[in-house]
Amino acid sequence: MNAIEVRDLFKSYNSLTAVDGISFEVGYGELFGFLGPNGAGKTTTINILCTLLKPTSGEAYVAGSEVSREPDRIRKRIGLVFQETTLDNELTTFENLLFHAYLYGLERNTAVRRIDELLSIVGLRNKRRELVKHLSGGMKRRLEVIRGLLHGPGVLFLDEPTTGLDPQTRAGVWGFIKDMRKREGTTIFVTTHYMDEASDFDRIAIIDHGKIIAIGNPHKLINEMSKTTVTFVTGDDDTARQLLSYGMSRVDGGKYQIRIEEPGDFMKRMLNLSGLKIDEFAINQPELEDLYISLTGTEIRDERIEHPVRKRGHGS
Amino acid sequence: MRRLVLPVYVITLRDLKKFFRQRSRLIGMIARPLTWLLIIGTGLNQIIKGSLGVTYIQFILPGILGMTILFSAIFSSISIVWDREFGFMKEILVTPVSRISIAFGKMVSGTLISTVQGLIIMVAAPFIGIRFTIAEVFSLIVFIMVVSMCISAIGVFIASLIKSFESFNIIMNFIVMPMFFLSGAMYPISILPRVMRYFMYLNPLTYGIDSFKHIMFAGLTSFRSDISMLNDIVLMISFTIVSIVLAAVAFNRQHNE
């Protein structure tokens, strides 16, 4: 059994389908990224896996238990860092952590030892007695991550952990998450829309309109799913005509592009051709960002169902 | 057992810590009833004379105590909405703690906070000529706790029905203020027209305040209360049990999708 196993998971609100029959698994100890535009179904999926939302149909196993059948067992074995801050500003750093430890049934002595250990690792030991409202955004995020790890969960869920942080803080938070993962061997499930963050994950899934459209190692995905683009710029009509005859397509003005497997071979072929008046030529190695955009398109999404838990009142 | 009791303790501890840390809230909560007592009580004391059996400022002390509990308990329970708005409730909801324990934690903390505030107000009693025996102090504490529990439960129930903090004004104007004015806090129930009296009999605070009157004016034979102590006790306890059940059910329903 894997750390997470999802089979034909489906969630709809009235007429709206948020998660449209997805299946995937995450192995123990894996750093797994869940990528997609706003409203693609990321938060809905994470809320189902964390037992905050009930799926309409399908099964999801987290740390060996099924989300609808044994939510209490799952809650004990997972940690969660939400998109928005969920710290109590009026309590101190230490109190926030102790409160959390108690809710997970840790004994006071064990809890205090673990809190001090984790605070030292993230460099917040000297902020122990500080009210949380006096901490910076980056400190709060680090505090939330160690809170999520405090009770030693098998799986840690991070819902867009770096949204709203400046680049330095983002890098810092990531360095620390990866450190913690090494130390604790925790399986980590992250949603993000920053592609650059996901490029060194073990595996990623790209979700859009509630469906998984690509899944696998990020580097393999790039190699499999996109090709190198070669771009030529020329002002010469004959050259342009010839470029078109080589299967290139006109992008705009004097720009011509072709997507190829092997840039080296293509260059050799081009150099053998005489009489071309090439002004400029560039090779663009694709990045995850390009793959993501090519898969999900460039339209801007509205946040249709980002906070279903909060907006819905009653009913089950 | 530990699984159910521990979260109640933790949530209560958190609310108490926050309560004693927020000086402005503490001061406001003490200043409001004292203002009522001193300004309204002293002012009307000169105008209203006669039929009450006690002076007017004495008459409204049980009512002011009821008001203190009402505001304090509702405010404490409504913090659920704050916690939801600021995300902290989510952190509690993903822990292995049961929803019922969370609801109880909120009710217990509301009860304790309101009881403390109610007792602080009672310090004013000797200054306006109301003295207690030890037994009366003890029974007053018990009744203050029951009323606090009832109102806290009503607060948790309301907090579980409203979706956002914008509804808070509506709650204040259409539930909390009418509950205060239609409770016999400011004037005896018997002087009101029949229709309004029906509303008063549906209001748990009426019985709470009436029980306070029984205890505070026990030594004054000139004072006659509107409801018997036995009715107060039976109805107050019934209201409390119903409110607790409703609060637990509503909270559980709201947070289980």
Side-chain angles (χ1 to χ4, degrees):
Chain A
M1 190 110 211
N2 288 303
I4 300 172
E5 282 196 27
V6 174
R7 291 182 206 136
D8 298 318
L9 196 68
F10 194 88
K11 175 74 189 178
S12 59
Y13 304 100
N14 304 321
S15 62
L16 200 76
T17 303
V19 174
D20 195 2
I22 59 171
S23 302
F24 64 93
E25 56 266 348
V26 179
Y28 277 105
E30 229 183 325
L31 172 55
F32 186 85
F34 212 54
L35 277 59
N38 289 340
K42 296 190 303 280
T43 299
T44 305
T45 307
I46 216 167
N47 280 336
I48 291 172
L49 295 179
C50 296
T51 75
L52 282 174
L53 260 182
K54 291 214 165 74
T56 309
S57 69
E59 286 184 317
Y61 291 85
V62 177
S65 303
E66 212 282 323
V67 288
S68 314
R69 289 195 289 272
E70 297 176 298
D72 291 340
R73 292 185 69 160
I74 294 178
R75 284 193 195 125
K76 268 181 217 151
R77 296 180 197 164
I78 61 169
L80 188 48
V81 178
F82 298 98
Q83 204 168 316
E84 67 277 2
T85 310
T86 59
L87 295 164
D88 191 327
N89 278 321
E90 303 296 330
L91 294 180
T92 65
T93 303
F94 178 75
E95 285 165 345
N96 263 284
L97 294 171
L98 190 66
F99 183 77
H100 180 92
Y102 278 163
L103 290 179
Y104 281 85
L106 267 69
E107 297 291 339
R108 191 186 158 95
N109 289 342
T110 322
V112 172
R113 213 178 314 126
R114 176 108 172 123
I115 288 169
D116 286 339
E117 179 199 343
L118 290 172
L119 280 176
S120 304
I121 295 171
V122 293
L124 289 175
R125 188 73 199 265
N126 57 341
K127 301 284 177 193
R128 203 173 180 269
R129 298 194 170 278
E130 192 87 46
L131 286 183
V132 165
K133 65 178 169 195
H134 297 141
L135 300 184
S136 70
M139 286 177 182
K140 284 186 186 174
R141 258 305 89 147
R142 279 183 278 162
L143 179 57
E144 285 188 297
V145 177
I146 60 169
R147 185 181 63 180
L149 288 165
L150 192 57
H151 54 286
V155 185
L156 179 66
F157 290 91
L158 300 154
D159 193 7
E160 306 199 0
T162 52
T163 301
L165 298 180
D166 61 67
Q168 284 85 353
T169 313
R170 255 174 71 191
V173 168
W174 272 113
F176 156 69
I177 291 173
K178 284 166 188 164
D179 270 7
M180 289 307 293
R181 176 192 170 219
K182 265 191 220 136
R183 288 176 57 102
E184 310 259 324
T186 317
T187 307
I188 298 185
F189 183 100
V190 193
T191 69
T192 180
H193 48 233
Y194 294 120
M195 293 311 119
D196 51 330
E197 290 182 344
S199 56
D200 63 343
F201 287 4
D202 295 326
R203 283 194 316 135
I204 57 163
I206 297 179
I207 182 170
D208 197 18
H209 300 297
K211 285 190 160 82
I212 290 180
I213 47 181
I215 186 164
N217 176 279
H219 297 287
K220 279 196 191 134
L221 279 182
I222 293 167
N223 290 338
E224 278 164 23
M225 303 196 62
S226 45
K227 293 170 179 172
T228 302
T229 311
V230 181
T231 309
F232 295 95
V233 181
T234 176
D236 184 66
D237 283 352
D238 284 342
T239 309
R241 234 185 323 270
Q242 243 176 307
L243 286 174
L244 288 170
S245 75
Y246 289 124
M248 306 209 63
S249 50
R250 198 179 140 127
V251 187
D252 64 84
K255 236 180 186 178
Y256 298 83
Q257 269 185 352
I258 189 165
R259 309 190 124 220
I260 47 164
E261 305 267 357
E262 268 299 314
D265 287 354
F266 185 76
M267 272 176 70
K268 248 190 273 169
R269 240 170 64 214
M270 289 301 296
L271 288 169
N272 289 340
L273 296 166
S274 53
L276 288 185
K277 289 167 187 145
I278 303 299
D279 296 336
E280 240 181 85
F281 117 49
I283 296 176
N284 305 316
Q285 288 291 351
E287 285 177 11
L288 198 52
E289 185 92 43
D290 302 315
L291 167 69
Y292 175 82
I293 293 291
S294 77
L295 286 170
T296 61
T298 50
E299 64 187 300
I300 291 170
R301 310 295 170 80
D302 54 346
E303 304 201 12
R304 24 166 210 172
I305 38 174
E306 281 294 288
H307 302 290
V309 178
R310 240 171 68 181
K311 293 223 169 100
R312 279 173 62 86
H314 340 230
S316 46
Chain B
M1 196 59 193
R2 186 170 186 267
R3 218 180 84 84
L4 286 174
V5 174
L6 189 80
V8 174
Y9 165 74
V10 175
I11 289 165
T12 305
L13 190 69
R14 167 186 176 242
D15 282 358
L16 289 179
K17 273 196 169 174
K18 290 182 71 164
F19 172 71
F20 286 110
R21 217 163 269 175
Q22 288 175 304
R23 297 272 153 71
S24 59
R25 183 176 157 199
L26 202 62
I27 292 166
M29 285 291 194
I30 295 168
R32 183 188 353 231
L34 287 182
T35 311
W36 273 76
L37 196 65
L38 294 177
I39 296 175
I40 302 196
T42 314
L44 293 179
N45 207 25
Q46 309 306 314
I47 304 168
I48 305 164
K49 297 248 156 92
S51 60
L52 291 169
V54 289
T55 64
Y56 188 70
I57 194 162
Q58 287 174 331
F59 179 82
I60 62 166
L61 186 67
I64 299 297
L65 174 60
M67 178 184 80
T68 308
I69 295 170
L70 175 69
F71 281 97
S72 162
I74 293 281
F75 196 84
S76 175
S77 298
I78 293 284
S79 70
I80 290 174
V81 182
W82 278 107
D83 286 341
R84 219 160 48 216
E85 207 98 321
F86 290 106
F88 191 77
M89 186 53 75
K90 236 175 150 182
E91 143 75 7
I92 305 175
L93 290 172
V94 289
T95 64
V97 165
S98 77
R99 306 295 191 249
I100 301 282
S101 322
I102 300 170
F104 269 97
K106 280 291 173 190
M107 288 186 241
V108 171
S109 63
T111 304
L112 293 180
I113 288 171
S114 313
T115 302
V116 168
Q117 293 195 3
L119 290 175
I120 291 171
I121 297 312
M122 282 302 99
V123 174
F127 296 99
I128 55 169
I130 299 174
R131 292 185 195 279
F132 300 108
T133 62
I134 298 294
E136 283 163 0
V137 171
F138 180 75
S139 49
L140 195 61
I141 292 174
V142 173
F143 279 89
I144 289 175
M145 287 185 82
V146 174
V147 178
S148 300
M149 188 72 185
C150 182
I151 307 293
S152 298
I154 292 172
V156 171
F157 177 68
I158 293 169
S160 304
L161 297 184
I162 64 175
K163 299 221 164 65
S164 72
F165 219 75
E166 284 135 47
S167 320
F168 185 70
N169 277 334
I170 298 173
I171 303 297
M172 285 306 288
N173 290 328
F174 291 96
I175 296 177
V176 178
M177 293 316 286
M179 265 180 91
F180 171 59
F181 286 116
L182 292 171
S183 66
M186 305 295 289
Y187 29 72
I189 299 168
S190 49
I191 64 165
L192 285 181
R194 179 173 293 199
V195 185
M196 279 170 86
R197 253 185 282 165
Y198 287 138
F199 280 106
M200 286 179 136
Y201 289 133
L202 288 173
N203 180 1
L205 197 60
T206 304
Y207 306 101
I209 290 176
D210 197 71
S211 71
F212 298 154
K213 287 178 187 166
H214 276 286
I215 298 166
M216 287 190 207
F217 308 138
L220 299 164
T221 42
S222 54
F223 179 80
R224 274 194 64 246
S225 176
D226 302 303
I227 309 161
S228 76
M229 189 61 166
L230 182 69
N231 280 345
D232 284 337
I233 294 172
V234 171
L235 286 161
M236 200 57 231
I237 290 174
S238 314
F239 268 113
T240 306
I241 293 170
V242 171
S243 308
I244 290 172
V245 172
L246 285 178
V249 170
F251 186 87
N252 199 33
R253 254 191 76 175
Q254 188 191 30
H255 298 99
N256 260 340
E257 218 162 329

